[in-house]
Amino acid sequence: MRRLLGEILVESGLSAERLKKTLDLQKKRGGRIGTLLVRLNFVTEAEVLTALGEQLGLPFQGDLGEIDRELALKLPITYAKKAVAIPLRRENGNVLIATSEPLALSTSDDLRLLFNADISLCLSPSEMILDTVNRLYSEDMNRAEETVQEMEEEDLTFLAAELDEPTDLLEATDDAPIIRLVNSLLSQAIRERASDIHIEPFEKEMVARFRIDGILYNILTIQKRFQASIASRIKIMADLNIAERRLPQDGGMRIKIGGKDVDIRVSIVPTAFGERIVLRLLYRESALLPLDQIGFSGDTLTRFNDHITRPHGIILVTGPTGSGKTTTLYAALSKINSPDKNIITIEDPIEYQLKGIGQIQVNAKINLSFAAGLRSVLRQDPDVILVGEIRDSETAEIAIQAALTGHLVFSTLHTNDSAGAVTRLIDMKVEPFLISSSVMAILAQRLVRVLCTECREPYSITPAEIAELEIKTAVAGETVYRAKGCPACFQTGYLGRSAIYELLSVDDEVRQNIMKNADAAMLKALAVGKGMHTLRQDGADKVLAGITSVDEVVRVTQKETE
């Protein structure tokens, strides 16, 4: 007689009280006992499958091991996802199938017919199976170069219809080579963690490039004759006018690849050799990391946490485009977000959806600017306001008035360092006394690439590098790391990015100097004298910690002048 699943789980550590509670719920709502236990967080899926394996006499595999790709890809991706099953390999004439649904007998019958062989089952967690399915089909799709070669041998005379719904590109069955090429580029870009895809026309060819961790890499060269077809396909996907080739166009689309939702902003501009296309990829499932995981550390983290928990004032984040300012602001908002606070943002564009926070999208077509949005937001009884960017004097003045009337305001400016933000506001005709009485802190930041831990290479830092980074605590011969390159990081030597910061706190002495119209250099010297870490010094700390390399810090920071 087969043992009960609950009995096996109790022997493995599940309390009898929790089992009884789950059985009572099963009587009311129905469903499988194992599924209910997992939903109630009483056990993990792996524990249920292990017990189920003991009950049915099937092995549990926490690692799928070596997979026969050709065999696995014979199973259509839609069926594999629906059945939560994947063929692993042939063993003793049988096809070994990993599944998290061993009681679905129809699946075994289907696979027996498909492979014309007997089936043997092993149990594995559903998430592991689905991740493996997506990875295999993603790798199979990432053949942009092969697609281009096929295209060069075919006569391209048509395009596909418009995509009404965001279907998973891994499940696409289109045969048109242009569609396969665009899908392959998107799939490969997402797999390689690219933030942008550039498709650039030149006199005799087109070049596709990916921006990965802030650096552009050449990926593919495409024949010039496919230029119009590729542009038209992307316009169709982004709902743009395919007949317009003389004016710039901006649009967007949402796609799915491997079950992941990705928003794509599309920019097309006419150039001397045709339309230049840039696709910005925004990963909707990107986790919002806490402040201590995006680069903040030590005294800078302590002081920044103190500033963002104050009831009013302005906190400015400065840096060039793509330096991670929005990510830092979102992390700060997530830190202080609570049901007793009314937080409203005005953004262009909204890059992440923040739960419990009202987010407004700037829209120039209907005159919804940062200034106009900020005026309206002040009538919404906010506690905290995020203004995506202070671009003009009108926005600056309203933001300052909001801070002076008891609101906490976050915003960004495009300046090279923290002290430069004061000069920038004065250039916008903001009075120095208003700046000194409203701004509490200015944070400057840059992004440095993080060394790949699989291949980073240790070496002894040289006196020249110590001087270059202005390190006062290191001695020549201390071990640091440099980039090398391996398959895990696509031969770049780096994997991911981290921020480096300098935080200028506006205290009484800094306020007095702002009132006296002190220039940026004087304000910075004053802040450094009070212990502020400059961008380069923060980068040097990350070099000594083995996070990044000397070359990377030198690349993104400017040398401090005497």
Side-chain angles (χ1 to χ4, degrees):
M1 183 176 173
R2 183 185 292 177
R3 297 174 67 201
L4 295 174
L5 184 65
E7 181 186 325
I8 300 171
L9 286 168
V10 167
E11 289 179 4
S12 302
L14 175 68
S15 70
E17 183 183 348
R18 286 186 165 185
L19 177 61
K20 183 180 183 305
K21 183 177 178 180
T22 310
L23 288 170
D24 290 342
L25 183 65
Q26 186 186 37
K27 288 176 184 176
K28 292 178 184 176
R29 297 187 182 178
R32 293 181 184 171
I33 187 69
T35 304
L36 292 173
L37 284 165
V38 172
R39 284 180 185 168
L40 291 169
N41 289 323
F42 290 164
V43 294
T44 65
E45 185 188 16
E47 288 170 337
V48 169
L49 290 173
T50 302
L52 198 56
E54 186 177 332
Q55 183 189 47
L56 301 175
L58 297 174
F60 173 79
Q61 285 196 203
D63 181 0
L64 298 181
E66 189 177 340
I67 298 174
D68 184 337
R69 284 187 79 248
E70 187 177 342
L71 182 73
L73 291 172
K74 285 182 180 179
L75 187 64
I77 185 172
T78 48
Y79 186 92
K81 285 184 175 182
K82 185 177 179 182
V84 198
I86 181 172
L88 299 181
R89 51 194 166 269
R90 293 184 186 272
E91 289 185 352
N92 303 320
N94 293 356
V95 175
L96 178 62
I97 306 290
T99 181
S100 64
E101 299 285 348
L103 300 176
L105 299 178
S106 60
T107 300
S108 297
D109 293 338
D110 292 342
L111 296 178
R112 194 174 289 109
L113 286 171
L114 175 67
F115 294 110
N116 193 26
D118 287 334
I119 300 297
S120 55
L121 299 179
C122 66
L123 306 183
S124 293
S126 57
E127 187 176 350
M128 179 186 293
I129 292 172
L130 293 175
D131 284 349
T132 304
V133 168
N134 285 328
R135 177 176 56 79
L136 286 172
Y137 277 85
S138 176
E139 289 171 355
D140 186 57
M141 189 180 189
N142 291 340
R143 298 175 302 163
E145 292 184 21
E146 294 176 24
T147 306
V148 168
Q149 291 172 2
E150 292 172 15
M151 286 165 51
E152 290 170 0
E153 299 168 5
E154 297 184 33
D155 180 25
L156 307 179
T157 57
F158 58 89
L159 293 166
E162 179 179 349
L163 295 176
D164 293 323
E165 293 295 327
T167 53
D168 196 321
L169 294 191
L170 299 187
E171 300 176 27
T173 56
D174 301 290
D175 290 326
I178 287 293
I179 297 173
R180 280 189 281 120
L181 173 62
V182 173
N183 289 355
S184 294
L185 278 173
L186 291 170
S187 175
Q188 188 170 337
I190 290 167
R191 182 166 170 260
E192 297 185 11
R193 304 173 297 102
S195 61
D196 302 82
I197 303 172
H198 292 234
I199 302 174
E200 304 167 355
F202 297 102
E203 186 176 5
K204 295 181 180 179
E205 62 190 14
M206 294 181 74
V207 174
R209 300 197 289 171
F210 292 168
R211 187 179 294 280
I212 302 171
D213 292 334
I215 306 294
L216 278 170
Y217 297 93
N218 282 359
I219 299 297
L220 193 63
T221 300
I222 307 167
Q223 282 191 13
K224 183 76 171 175
R225 65 192 179 104
F226 303 126
Q227 181 174 311
S229 299
I230 291 170
S232 295
R233 172 59 186 163
I234 291 172
K235 286 178 185 177
I236 285 171
M237 295 177 75
D239 199 21
L240 298 176
N241 182 358
I242 63 171
E244 180 56 74
R245 298 182 181 178
R246 300 168 299 168
L247 295 173
Q249 293 191 71
D250 293 312
M253 57 176 134
R254 194 177 85 218
I255 64 169
K256 272 189 178 182
I257 290 189
K260 294 180 181 177
D261 280 323
V262 183
D263 286 327
I264 300 178
R265 296 209 308 266
V266 180
S267 172
I268 301 178
V269 297
T271 68
F273 297 116
E275 291 177 300
R276 189 180 192 278
I277 303 166
V278 175
L279 309 175
R280 164 63 60 88
L281 309 180
L282 300 170
Y283 300 93
R284 303 181 77 193
E285 295 180 357
S286 294
L288 280 176
L289 298 173
L291 291 168
D292 59 354
Q293 291 184 30
I294 59 175
F296 278 100
S297 59
D299 180 58
T300 304
L301 176 60
T302 303
R303 289 191 295 129
F304 190 68
N305 276 329
D306 176 56
H307 288 306
I308 66 176
T309 51
R310 293 185 186 179
H312 56 81
I314 294 180
I315 297 173
L316 293 172
V317 181
T318 73
T321 302
S323 60
K325 300 187 296 295
T326 303
T327 300
T328 297
L329 288 174
Y330 280 170
L333 288 183
S334 297
K335 170 88 174 176
I336 63 173
N337 187 19
S338 61
D340 63 332
K341 282 191 175 73
N342 180 20
I343 303 176
I344 303 178
T345 74
I346 309 156
E347 304 173 62
D348 184 23
I350 296 171
E351 294 190 16
Y352 299 95
Q353 302 291 333
L354 297 174
K355 189 175 181 181
I357 293 176
Q359 296 175 269
I360 300 170
Q361 169 74 55
V362 167
N363 190 338
K365 293 178 182 177
I366 57 172
N367 295 321
L368 178 53
S369 62
F370 281 118
L374 186 49
R375 267 199 210 89
S376 299
V377 162
L378 288 172
R379 295 192 284 272
Q380 290 277 313
D381 185 32
D383 297 299
V384 182
I385 303 168
L386 166 62
V387 184
E389 184 184 345
I390 294 178
R391 293 177 179 172
D392 51 49
S393 57
E394 185 182 9
T395 308
E397 286 171 7
I398 301 169
I400 286 171
Q401 291 302 323
L404 292 175
T405 53
H407 302 89
L408 182 60
V409 180
F410 293 91
S411 193
T412 70
L413 273 177
H414 287 279
T415 62
N416 287 330
D417 59 10
S418 54
V422 175
T423 308
R424 180 81 181 96
L425 289 173
I426 292 173
D427 288 344
M428 290 182 182
K429 311 299 182 190
V430 179
E431 294 290 344
F433 76 90
L434 288 175
I435 299 171
S436 65
S437 56
S438 61
V439 177
M440 351 180 235
I442 305 167
L443 181 76
Q445 71 177 81
R446 297 289 188 278
L447 291 179
V448 292
R449 291 181 291 169
V450 174
L451 286 164
C452 173
T453 54
E454 297 289 324
C455 65
R456 65 180 184 174
E457 191 174 60
Y459 74 102
S460 298
I461 193 168
T462 65
E465 289 174 328
I466 290 175
E468 178 77 18
L469 290 183
E470 303 165 8
I471 303 174
K472 296 172 183 174
T473 56
V475 293
E478 190 166 340
T479 300
V480 294
Y481 296 86
R482 58 188 166 209
K484 185 178 180 183
C486 68
C489 58
F490 300 101
Q491 304 302 328
T492 63
Y494 298 94
L495 198 60
R497 288 189 288 179
S498 178
I500 55 175
Y501 296 101
E502 68 177 34
L503 178 60
L504 192 159
S505 297
V506 181
D507 59 14
D508 290 341
E509 194 174 350
V510 173
R511 284 192 189 93
Q512 290 170 10
N513 278 272
I514 292 173
M515 294 280 285
K516 294 174 184 175
N517 273 331
D519 61 18
M522 189 178 296
L523 291 174
K524 186 160 191 174
L526 178 63
V528 169
K530 288 172 169 286
M532 180 182 82
H533 260 46
T534 64
L535 286 167
R536 182 159 287 201
Q537 287 168 343
D538 194 34
D541 288 345
K542 288 181 169 60
V543 169
L544 295 176
I547 295 169
T548 190
S549 66
V550 173
D551 291 343
E552 188 65 8
V553 172
V554 170
R555 180 180 70 84
V556 302
T557 61
Q558 54 185 0
K559 179 84 171 175
E560 299 299 325
T561 54
E562 295 296 330

